[in-house]
Amino acid sequence: MKNEAYLVVEEKALPEVYQKVVQANALLESGQAASASEAVRMAGISRSVYYKYRDAVFPYTRKDSSGIVTVQLILLDRPGVLAGLLTVFYQAGANILTVNQNIPVKGRAFVSVSARITQEAWPADRLLEALRQAEGVVKIDSIMD
């Protein structure tokens, strides 16, 4: 069995056909194209080119380009506190994946929020500091995944 070798090459250095294969795959994955025939037509390549390269050409996403942060908080049970907290995530450019909130007891609620942060988003430490400053936050802990 032959070992596979991979190269990371800047997109603009490659022939346009490879970019169009990636585009066709993205059209299929997103559901914008219902079939390979439709995807290749939309991308502007032939089906033979698509089938030749579809499993060999794909976008590279740096592993460290995004991460998931899970924040566990104790919030005051007041209207708008959770909404304000989620607004901080929005302002930071984070993509919220899950929100879990327990029923408040004695005026406080445990909340867990998981979000994806990318290079374009605020750094995790800046996000955590902004969350600490949010109105109604009593306690905060974070877990970086």
Side-chain angles (χ1 to χ4, degrees):
M1 186 167 137
K2 185 177 177 182
N3 288 338
E4 294 179 344
Y6 295 94
L7 301 173
V8 177
V9 181
E10 189 175 349
E11 183 179 26
K12 66 183 178 184
L14 294 171
E16 186 179 8
V17 67
Y18 297 127
Q19 296 168 25
K20 290 186 176 196
V21 169
V22 170
Q23 180 185 2
N25 279 332
L27 289 166
L28 283 168
E29 286 179 22
S30 69
Q32 291 176 295
S35 65
S37 294
E38 185 178 4
V40 298
R41 185 177 39 75
M42 292 170 73
I45 55 175
S46 69
R47 286 182 352 148
S48 62
V49 165
Y50 174 72
Y51 285 115
K52 181 175 182 179
Y53 297 116
R54 73 175 177 177
D55 295 325
V57 180
F58 47 90
Y60 173 73
T61 304
R62 289 179 42 168
K63 182 162 177 57
D64 64 349
S65 68
S66 67
I68 297 175
V69 61
T70 299
V71 183
Q72 298 175 338
L73 312 103
I74 296 176
L75 304 179
L76 294 176
D77 180 27
R78 292 197 313 239
V81 170
L82 182 58
L85 184 81
L86 297 178
T87 298
V88 174
F89 281 95
Y90 167 75
Q91 291 169 339
N95 180 31
I96 295 175
L97 304 172
T98 65
V99 177
N100 295 300
Q101 179 178 354
N102 291 357
I103 294 174
V105 176
K106 296 183 182 178
R108 296 171 189 246
F110 175 81
V111 176
S112 175
V113 179
S114 293
R116 179 172 289 116
I117 53 175
T118 63
Q119 285 183 326
E120 294 78 31
W122 293 351
D125 57 344
R126 181 175 173 198
L127 171 62
L128 292 173
E129 186 55 36
L131 292 170
R132 281 187 185 92
Q133 302 301 317
E135 185 178 340
V137 174
V138 175
K139 184 179 176 191
I140 185 170
D141 291 314
S142 72
I143 304 165
M144 297 296 289
D145 291 345

